[in-house]
Amino acid sequence: MATATFEHFDRLIHECFSECTGVNTTKQSWLQTELSPHRGGLGLRSLSHHSTAAYISSLCNSECASPNHSHLASSIDCFNLSVMSSDTISIESCLLNKPSQHNLSDKLEAYSFSDLFDSMSCAHRARLLSVSSPHAAVWLTVTPSVSLGLHLDPNELHTAIKWWLGLCPYGATDVPTPLCALCPEKALDPLCHHSITCKRGSDVTNRHNRLRNTIFSACQRASLPARLEAGCGLGSSELRTRPADILVTIPKLGVSAGVAAKAAESRKHEQNDTKCSELSWQCNPLAVETYGAWGEEACNAFSCIAMREAILTNCSKSQVLGDLYGRLSIVLVRANARAILARSLQVADMQVDAMDY
């Protein structure tokens, strides 16, 4: 099934992607782009890889399929080489259950994800787990709207895609990365962890405030009596605890997604539960990883907010909840891209100065 025509089409898609985004991918990062957004990819599925799923599904759902169909048998053999052993299929099961192309392609992607994950370093594994977490990739599916603030400018989109795919935005990966212009003792790492979390400059504060304001607006639409930064200064003077803060954390190395967000929620409870209890408050940490994986408590809170707004606006809860995650995702990705760009521009300035000298 993987004919030269399919492979040629895949190359055209690759070339078109590079020309439109200005991003030159590696073999590993291109494999990630071929995954669906819910698995951390960009949804640019390979025609040569998924052609067997399309053929098997189409044939089995027609009147032409039979147990002795040679092309069906060879396609199934080819398909079974590209999936996990638990996901293999047979002619008998296909004729009986008539599988959909969606289900077959999902099996192919599960194997591709596992194979890509196994080929990565620990840092990139943590990144892939985080970008494939629920709601992390919503920014890729949001309908762009400048008037609603649901957009990225070309530079932000270029930077966000490179960061999402684990590509170094500061130049070649085989040369030492430069030092941060705002804190020279820190290097600008290829995965941009320092750029996104550097507290010198206004990027971290701006990101926090924009996420906070987005959630605050959602609470207002749901007619909740929300307050901004309520409780500022609780606890000791050193901690200056803010129970209503939005936590933005780096994904930690782990075997499952959301490890960092869960750890952040636990820390927030340790810092604030006692004082909140004294004030008859309930502490609900809203923690999010840098790639957009929200903690369990945040997801529960958003679900409650969406339910109230859906009742008031006579909209479906799923629509309201999707809109909220979309806004939060765009705000987070845009803020991260701007933080990376701010340091990228300083790197470019230093390189120009060196050339002039």
Side-chain angles (χ1 to χ4, degrees):
M1 294 293 292
T3 64
T5 303
F6 294 160
E7 293 172 354
H8 176 67
F9 182 83
D10 289 339
R11 286 195 296 271
L12 291 178
I13 293 295
H14 194 165
E15 293 171 4
C16 182
F17 170 82
S18 297
E19 291 179 4
C20 290
T21 63
V23 175
N24 294 319
T25 59
T26 62
K27 181 179 179 180
Q28 189 177 78
S29 60
W30 182 250
L31 290 175
Q32 183 182 337
T33 68
E34 294 178 343
L35 297 174
S36 297
H38 74 275
R39 284 198 167 92
L42 302 182
L44 302 178
R45 282 181 171 176
S46 167
L47 179 58
S48 58
H49 186 56
H50 287 268
S51 58
T52 53
Y55 180 78
I56 293 171
S57 175
S58 298
L59 189 58
C60 289
N61 284 277
S62 70
E63 300 297 329
C64 303
S66 67
N68 300 320
H69 200 293
S70 60
H71 291 301
L72 177 59
S74 61
S75 297
I76 289 176
D77 290 340
C78 182
F79 175 87
N80 287 338
L81 294 175
S82 302
V83 298
M84 298 180 183
S85 57
S86 58
D87 288 333
T88 56
I89 57 178
S90 64
I91 291 183
E92 291 75 15
S93 64
C94 288
L95 295 177
L96 178 63
N97 300 319
K98 300 186 183 302
S100 66
Q101 182 180 341
H102 173 79
N103 290 336
L104 294 178
S105 287
D106 191 64
K107 295 176 185 291
L108 291 171
E109 278 207 347
Y111 181 81
S112 297
F113 180 91
S114 177
D115 193 46
L116 179 61
F117 181 84
D118 291 340
S119 69
M120 288 180 163
S121 64
C122 290
H124 281 283
R125 286 181 178 182
R127 175 184 60 81
L128 187 61
L129 287 174
S130 191
V131 298
S132 60
S133 300
H135 315 299
V138 177
W139 67 279
L140 293 168
T141 60
V142 171
T143 302
S145 172
V146 177
S147 61
L148 296 177
L150 301 175
H151 71 289
L152 301 175
D153 68 31
N155 287 332
E156 291 167 351
L157 179 62
H158 171 85
T159 303
I161 289 176
K162 295 190 75 171
W163 164 69
W164 191 257
L165 298 177
L167 298 170
C168 180
Y170 307 119
T173 57
D174 56 349
V175 297
T177 52
L179 299 177
C180 177
L182 299 181
C183 41
E185 70 278 6
K186 298 291 186 179
L188 296 176
D189 58 285
L191 291 180
C192 307
H193 289 331
H194 175 73
S195 295
I196 291 174
T197 58
C198 179
K199 294 186 178 180
R200 295 192 184 181
S202 60
D203 296 301
V204 171
T205 301
N206 288 340
R207 178 179 58 200
H208 164 272
N209 291 343
R210 288 190 172 97
L211 287 170
R212 178 203 62 192
N213 292 344
T214 301
I215 297 173
F216 178 68
S217 297
C219 291
Q220 288 183 314
R221 292 194 299 272
S223 296
L224 291 170
R227 294 165 55 193
L228 286 178
E229 297 293 353
C232 179
L234 293 179
S236 65
S237 57
E238 292 80 15
L239 289 177
R240 290 194 60 77
T241 311
R242 292 187 179 93
D245 274 358
I246 305 299
L247 303 182
V248 181
T249 58
I250 299 175
K252 293 185 176 180
L253 303 184
V255 296
S256 60
V259 175
K262 186 175 182 179
E265 289 178 338
S266 298
R267 281 199 309 274
K268 202 66 174 179
H269 277 300
E270 292 174 1
Q271 295 171 358
N272 299 300
D273 275 357
T274 301
K275 191 62 180 180
C276 285
S277 179
E278 294 173 2
L279 297 170
S280 299
W281 291 0
Q282 180 178 343
C283 179
N284 290 314
L286 306 180
V288 61
E289 296 182 357
T290 52
Y291 288 104
W294 287 93
E296 182 179 355
E297 293 192 57
C299 292
N300 292 337
F302 296 156
S303 180
C304 292
I305 294 172
M307 176 62 77
R308 289 179 62 97
E309 183 179 346
I311 294 173
L312 292 172
T313 59
N314 197 28
C315 296
S316 67
K317 177 187 173 182
S318 60
Q319 179 183 348
V320 175
L321 189 59
D323 289 344
L324 175 56
Y325 277 119
R327 291 178 181 275
L328 290 170
S329 187
I330 288 291
V331 168
L332 179 62
V333 171
R334 183 193 295 124
N336 288 340
R338 288 178 177 177
I340 296 169
L341 276 171
R343 287 151 184 82
S344 299
L345 294 175
Q346 306 222 3
V347 170
D349 290 342
M350 289 188 291
Q351 291 173 344
V352 171
D353 292 342
M355 292 173 63
D356 291 342
Y357 176 81

